[in-house]
Amino acid sequence: MTLNDLHTGEAGIITRIRGRGAFRRRITEMGFIRGKQVTVIKSAPLKDPVEYRILDSNVSLRRSEADLIEVVTDPAELKAIPTAGPGLNGSSARTILVKPEKIIDVALVGNPNCGKTTLFNRVSHSREHVGNYPGVTVDSKQAFFSHRGYTFRITDLPGTYSLSDYSSEERYVTEQILKHNPDVVVNVVDANNLERSLYLTSQLIDMDITVVLALNMYDDLMENKDALDLDLLGELLGIRVVPTISHRGKGIFRLLNHVIRVYEGKDPVTRHIHISYGEEIELSIERIQEKIRKNPSFTDHYSSRFIALRLLEDGGSCDRILSETENTAEIRQVAGEEIQRLEDLLKEDAETLVAGARYGFIAGALKETMQKSGRTPGLTRSQRIDRILTHKYLGIPIFLLFLWLTFHATFSLGRYPMEWIEAGVDLVGSAVRNHMAAGIIRDMLVDGVIGGVGGVIVFLPNILILFFFISLMEDTGYMARTAFIMDRVMHLFGLHGKSFIPLIMGFGCNVPAIMATRTLENKNDRILTMLIIPFMSCSARLPVYVLVAGAVFPERAGNVIFLLYMLGVAVSLLMSVFFKKTIFRHKEAPFVMELPVYRYPGIRVILRHMWRKGAHYLKKMGGVILLASIVIWALGYFPREIPQQVSEAGVENTAAQLPEEPNAAQLENSLIGRLGKSIEPLVRPLGFDWKMGVSLLSGFAAKEIVVSTMGVLYQADEGPEATASLQTRISEQVYTSGPKKGAPVFTPLSGFSFLIFVLLYLPCVAVVTAVGRESGSWKWSVFVLIYTTVIAWVASFTVYQLGSLLQIG
């Protein structure tokens, strides 16, 4: 709560002061410091300002100023906070008790791929996703941990190259710093790219906030034998500089110790400096500041110098921030006049002038503090690797070969553990069937739980192998190269080069892939990429591919799966061309993306990321898939009555007289059978029977449920004593009635048509929700549902009908 929340006569203990600049100095001089008690005396007749009693003195504050002072009402109050990592990230949590005045708010800010999230994981024992490519952190993450009597509330903000208003990440990070005003900002910079990284640092300096600079990847700088005077650099920047090697955990505790020293005001290096932008720019800054300073409550929150610079760099920025001022039009008018004056006088746009001055300051600081090794620079390891992997002719074939190896290994290597798990599931099912009394409970456990969930869990090895290769691409830095390699191809299809990374991430899961579109600066590019991501075969579709391809194409399953993945990419690119020429006709944004150095993260890190992603698959087993399997079983189990049937001789036969197909008759008469029969006219032209139609319908909740539904339906169809694998049961399915009676259901043609439909049709409910949330409009969610399903139906219809005419399969 804040001081403004207290009523007349109430007292509170000050825990934090969030304001800045002159406001902080003024109230500190009046005795408003952490740990002091303040009492509300009375409000003015118009309720503002309010008179307070502190240190035997009466002081009046405006309510807007009182809102910047956080308090607690009980001096002995203890606050329980769950620590990060375990509790907040998937394993067991522990709780720490701290006094509110001992909490330090820390924000991690830095360029993409500078190691922020690795540092966050180290200090908080979290397990957030870390990848060696830009854009991994697409939202802020928060955690708590203790160090030297303090509780750190640390926030990992998205990577950004600047605090301008160009991309959503830049706007988000700027607003988080300005609105939440953290006690200390830890600016993580890449020691390999100091000149570029310090550009963001210069903007933090202009914000007049408390900063500690973590010089990360310091081992690379030492390996190059470059000398950097850290103390002198800190003096020039007015910021404490601490070398760190976050992936090894080196320098972390020293960094935290300096954060505490800076927070306590005991660091002799930390001070506010003004970067000189030259006489004319400084004159423009001062003129804009004069207008901004007419709003004292505004300058209590924001640095007038930073806002003035933002307006010079981009006259249209700061809309939401400037809306809090009373003379917004006047400020904008002066800013526009100064931009025009500078451009007329210096013959250059104001944004370039400010950026040039910043880089001039950085160059001067590095000239004073950095001594290059003097060695003749040769090709680095990353450059040598890139000469092959990003070669203009070999790059794309190598990438396609890697994808083919990925999917071929996913099927061929995963087949053996898959068979072991399948045997274990059959063993469990047989044990339950043999040791439990016949009845509804046994049927539910064997056919619903074991048949449904067991039918999906056998594909865990395939999922893990796929995630191993994806993690390998992410952690080594090859993922960023794929965007570079495919940039020209992507532009041919109307896509931004950066769109390729979300598309590749879609092979793992479409939801984080859709969230990763935040790295695209242009909103239309983001929505366009979201619309085609569902065609990328996520890991949830892989069990369906392995099941059906293994049953119908046992000798060529790996090649068929690779073909499906490539078809998904092809359809997504074709649809992007269509959308670009119809819905999203606009000028393409320039492609600028960092290519990080190649790193060997270690097999342990890769396996940990692989397992973390695989664990999400396992969690589905005990949640949505278990529930869906039981529901599907129940719909197929009831009602139990089998209607009388008439034989070809005209004799009525009851179920007891039809021992050869009792389960088939029961299943067709069940609730799910009736549902399947009702939608069968829609799927029959695609080569599907009603069971295939019901399985596809259930996939809206999660694509793995397609497999569990098939497991329940085909297990029941084979009878209670069936022990064959689900793949074998599928390959042996035949039509029991109609003109195709006795013909196989899953022919190569119908099986491939089914796989095409699974590849293209509507995404799961989580993806639909993500599209609506990230696009800002639920109309795009509805659009995705409709257009993907229409394309899937048309594609499967074309494949099946054309194949039938040509007598294929």
Side-chain angles (χ1 to χ4, degrees):
M1 65 186 303
T2 67
L3 189 58
N4 190 38
D5 295 322
L6 298 180
H7 301 291
T8 301
E10 293 183 341
I13 305 296
I14 298 174
T15 62
R16 185 182 178 222
I17 299 172
R18 288 189 285 115
R20 57 164 307 280
F23 167 74
R24 285 185 70 100
R25 289 193 295 272
R26 179 166 58 86
I27 63 172
T28 299
E29 292 167 356
M30 294 177 181
F32 286 84
I33 58 177
R34 289 190 301 271
K36 297 299 181 182
Q37 179 173 297
V38 57
T39 305
V40 183
I41 303 301
K42 63 178 182 293
S43 300
L46 296 179
K47 304 299 182 181
D48 199 11
V50 180
E51 184 178 341
Y52 299 95
R53 181 76 173 174
I54 188 170
L55 296 181
D56 299 324
S57 300
N58 287 7
V59 179
S60 65
L61 296 177
R62 298 192 304 270
R63 288 192 176 273
S64 61
E65 296 173 327
D67 259 334
L68 298 175
I69 303 172
E70 296 181 2
V71 298
V72 294
T73 55
D74 185 354
E77 180 180 351
L78 295 178
K79 188 173 183 179
I81 300 177
T83 58
L88 301 181
N89 298 279
S91 34
S92 60
R94 61 188 179 89
T95 299
I96 52 177
L97 297 176
V98 296
K99 293 184 178 179
E101 63 267 25
K102 302 286 281 184
I103 297 176
I104 305 178
D105 272 306
V106 178
L108 294 181
V109 177
N111 291 172
N113 203 52
C114 68
K116 282 187 304 78
T117 305
T118 302
L119 180 62
F120 176 83
N121 289 344
R122 280 284 181 177
V123 298
S124 65
H125 305 293
S126 300
R127 297 199 176 191
E128 295 298 340
H129 182 203
V130 178
N132 192 18
Y133 62 94
V136 176
T137 305
V138 292
D139 203 349
S140 62
K141 305 176 182 71
Q142 192 175 87
F144 296 86
F145 66 93
S146 296
H147 181 70
R148 289 183 56 183
Y150 281 95
T151 295
F152 282 70
R153 180 164 45 207
I154 186 168
T155 304
D156 179 22
L157 295 175
T160 178
Y161 290 107
S162 73
L163 298 178
S164 62
D165 207 33
Y166 183 58
S167 70
S168 57
E169 285 76 24
E170 292 169 347
R171 288 190 294 273
Y172 181 79
V173 172
T174 303
E175 290 183 4
Q176 287 294 305
I177 295 174
L178 293 176
K179 293 288 186 182
H180 295 281
N181 192 18
D183 296 318
V184 180
V185 170
V186 174
N187 179 205
V188 184
V189 303
D190 182 355
N192 297 293
N193 299 286
L194 270 179
E195 188 170 6
R196 186 201 66 198
S197 299
L198 290 177
Y199 187 87
L200 177 59
T201 308
S202 69
Q203 293 180 308
L204 294 173
I205 290 172
D206 290 328
M207 293 182 86
D208 189 16
I209 57 177
T210 305
V211 180
V212 173
L213 193 146
L215 187 62
N216 202 27
M217 305 180 193
Y218 191 65
D219 52 336
D220 291 339
L221 188 142
M222 292 189 295
E223 184 179 332
N224 294 332
K225 301 190 183 304
D226 295 333
L228 181 64
D229 190 334
L230 300 178
D231 293 333
L232 179 56
L233 180 62
E235 291 285 347
L236 294 175
L237 299 177
I239 297 172
R240 171 62 66 182
V241 180
V242 185
T244 60
I245 309 173
S246 57
H247 70 280
R248 297 182 185 173
K250 293 186 177 180
I252 302 297
F253 286 108
R254 186 181 175 201
L255 174 67
L256 298 178
N257 292 339
H258 279 294
V259 168
I260 292 174
R261 285 169 59 85
V262 168
Y263 174 74
E264 293 176 341
K266 297 177 181 179
D267 187 83
V269 173
T270 302
R271 72 189 194 285
H272 178 59
I273 67 169
H274 272 189
I275 298 172
S276 175
Y277 290 93
E279 183 178 351
E280 295 300 331
I281 296 179
E282 287 292 342
L283 178 59
S284 295
I285 293 172
E286 181 59 33
R287 288 174 177 173
I288 299 173
Q289 280 185 284
E290 286 179 8
K291 305 303 179 183
I292 296 174
R293 287 173 181 148
K294 291 182 179 181
N295 304 271
S297 61
F298 180 80
T299 54
D300 287 345
H301 290 80
Y302 310 113
S303 165
S304 60
R305 183 176 177 84
F306 175 74
I307 300 298
L309 281 164
R310 279 283 297 271
L311 290 171
L312 284 178
E313 292 178 282
D314 181 6
S317 67
C318 304
D319 288 336
R320 279 170 286 190
I321 297 173
L322 281 181
S323 64
E324 300 178 24
T325 62
E326 297 177 358
N327 59 336
T328 304
E330 184 183 20
I331 294 171
R332 287 206 174 278
Q333 180 182 349
V334 172
E337 292 171 354
E338 290 305 313
I339 290 173
Q340 190 63 50
R341 184 185 74 84
L342 289 174
E343 292 179 351
D344 292 342
L345 181 65
L346 302 177
K347 309 303 180 185
E348 186 69 84
D349 64 90
E351 184 176 5
T352 301
L353 292 170
V354 173
R358 282 205 173 103
Y359 277 119
F361 167 76
I362 294 167
L366 292 179
K367 186 176 181 180
E368 292 286 331
T369 59
M370 193 167 192
Q371 184 69 40
K372 292 288 186 178
S373 63
R375 296 181 301 172
T376 302
L379 290 176
T380 64
R381 179 183 61 182
S382 292
Q383 289 172 331
R384 289 194 298 270
I385 297 173
D386 275 341
R387 291 181 71 176
I388 300 173
L389 294 186
T390 61
H391 190 274
K392 66 182 296 185
Y393 299 119
L394 299 177
I396 293 179
I398 290 174
F399 172 59
L400 292 177
L401 176 62
F402 180 81
L403 286 183
W404 180 83
L405 288 173
T406 297
F407 302 122
H408 190 73
T410 297
F411 181 80
S412 58
L413 294 181
R415 180 173 56 191
Y416 302 104
M418 173 183 159
E419 291 173 353
W420 303 335
I421 298 175
E422 198 169 51
V425 171
D426 290 340
L427 188 64
V428 172
S430 298
V432 173
R433 184 182 297 112
N434 295 332
H435 293 86
M436 281 190 68
I440 187 172
I441 300 299
R442 191 190 75 170
D443 292 344
M444 182 187 71
L445 289 176
V446 174
D447 299 331
V449 177
I450 299 174
V453 177
V456 179
I457 202 171
V458 297
F459 299 101
L460 178 62
N462 308 92
I463 298 294
L464 293 177
I465 293 172
L466 174 65
F467 282 144
F468 174 85
F469 282 98
I470 292 178
S471 297
L472 183 66
M473 292 175 65
E474 292 175 346
D475 296 336
T476 57
Y478 186 56
M479 181 73 86
R481 268 72 182 181
T482 62
F484 174 77
I485 293 168
M486 300 298 294
D487 177 51
R488 179 167 293 184
V489 176
M490 301 295 277
H491 276 266
L492 291 176
F493 292 95
L495 285 169
H496 194 284
K498 283 186 179 179
S499 297
F500 194 67
I501 284 184
L503 291 176
I504 289 295
M505 290 178 67
F507 286 153
C509 179
N510 286 176
V511 174
I514 287 170
M515 294 175 65
T517 59
R518 298 179 191 176
T519 58
L520 297 168
E521 289 82 4
N522 185 280
K523 183 178 180 181
N524 284 344
D525 283 332
R526 290 199 299 274
I527 295 177
L528 172 58
T529 307
M530 288 180 209
L531 294 181
I532 63 175
I533 282 175
F535 294 127
M536 308 305 288
S537 296
C538 63
S539 60
R541 288 183 172 98
L542 183 60
V544 188
Y545 296 167
V546 175
L547 174 66
V548 178
V552 181
F553 308 98
E555 302 301 324
R556 301 183 300 276
N559 294 335
V560 170
I561 293 172
F562 176 71
L563 176 62
L564 289 170
Y565 276 82
M566 292 302 99
L567 280 174
V569 174
V571 172
S572 67
L573 294 178
L574 291 174
M575 290 308 303
S576 71
V577 173
F578 174 76
F579 288 141
K580 196 75 171 184
K581 292 183 179 297
T582 54
I583 305 176
F584 301 108
R585 287 179 289 186
H586 68 282
K587 185 178 178 181
E588 294 174 355
F591 175 71
V592 180
M593 185 169 184
E594 176 192 4
L595 294 180
V597 296
Y598 285 103
R599 295 186 179 278
Y600 175 64
I603 191 66
R604 182 178 178 183
V605 173
I606 295 174
L607 290 176
R608 186 177 67 193
H609 289 169
M610 175 196 74
W611 177 249
R612 183 174 57 81
K613 295 169 183 174
H616 178 69
Y617 179 78
L618 280 177
K619 287 178 183 176
K620 283 187 177 181
M621 300 299 105
V624 62
I625 293 176
L626 173 61
L627 178 61
S629 297
I630 294 175
V631 170
I632 295 297
W633 167 84
L635 291 175
Y637 194 79
F638 299 103
R640 300 302 293 162
E641 297 83 6
I642 302 176
Q644 289 183 330
Q645 302 180 21
V646 180
S647 68
E648 294 180 359
V651 181
E652 289 188 349
N653 297 315
T654 63
Q657 296 170 313
L658 296 168
E660 68 280 8
E661 295 181 330
N663 290 283
Q666 160 62 31
L667 196 59
E668 290 191 18
N669 187 54
S670 67
L671 296 174
I672 201 168
R674 296 170 187 175
L675 174 63
K677 291 292 184 180
S678 68
I679 66 172
E680 192 171 25
L682 293 176
V683 299
R684 180 71 75 181
L686 313 182
F688 308 162
D689 69 350
W690 69 267
K691 296 175 193 171
M692 298 162 76
V694 169
S695 300
L696 292 170
L697 195 62
S698 68
F700 177 58
K703 289 297 176 286
E704 298 97 336
I705 297 177
V706 174
V707 174
S708 64
T709 303
M710 296 176 83
V712 172
L713 294 180
Y714 293 126
Q715 174 69 40
D717 191 35
E718 290 295 315
E721 303 303 322
T723 58
S725 69
L726 182 55
Q727 274 189 347
T728 302
R729 293 198 296 272
I730 285 177
S731 65
E732 295 173 350
Q733 287 295 301
V734 295
Y735 287 98
T736 58
S737 61
K740 292 186 177 181
K741 184 175 182 180
V745 174
F746 282 89
T747 63
L749 181 59
S750 65
F752 189 67
S753 174
F754 183 77
L755 291 172
I756 291 289
F757 198 91
V758 171
L759 165 68
L760 301 176
Y761 87 121
L762 55 82
C764 68
V765 65
V767 174
V768 173
T769 303
V771 170
R773 185 175 60 247
E774 295 298 319
S775 66
S777 174
W778 291 103
K779 70 178 183 181
W780 293 117
S781 297
V782 176
F783 180 71
V784 165
L785 282 174
I786 296 173
Y787 104 89
T788 54
T789 305
V790 170
I791 288 175
W793 195 93
V794 172
S796 292
F797 177 84
T798 303
V799 167
Y800 185 73
Q801 295 299 329
L802 186 60
S804 298
L805 287 175
L806 298 176
Q807 296 183 343
I808 298 175

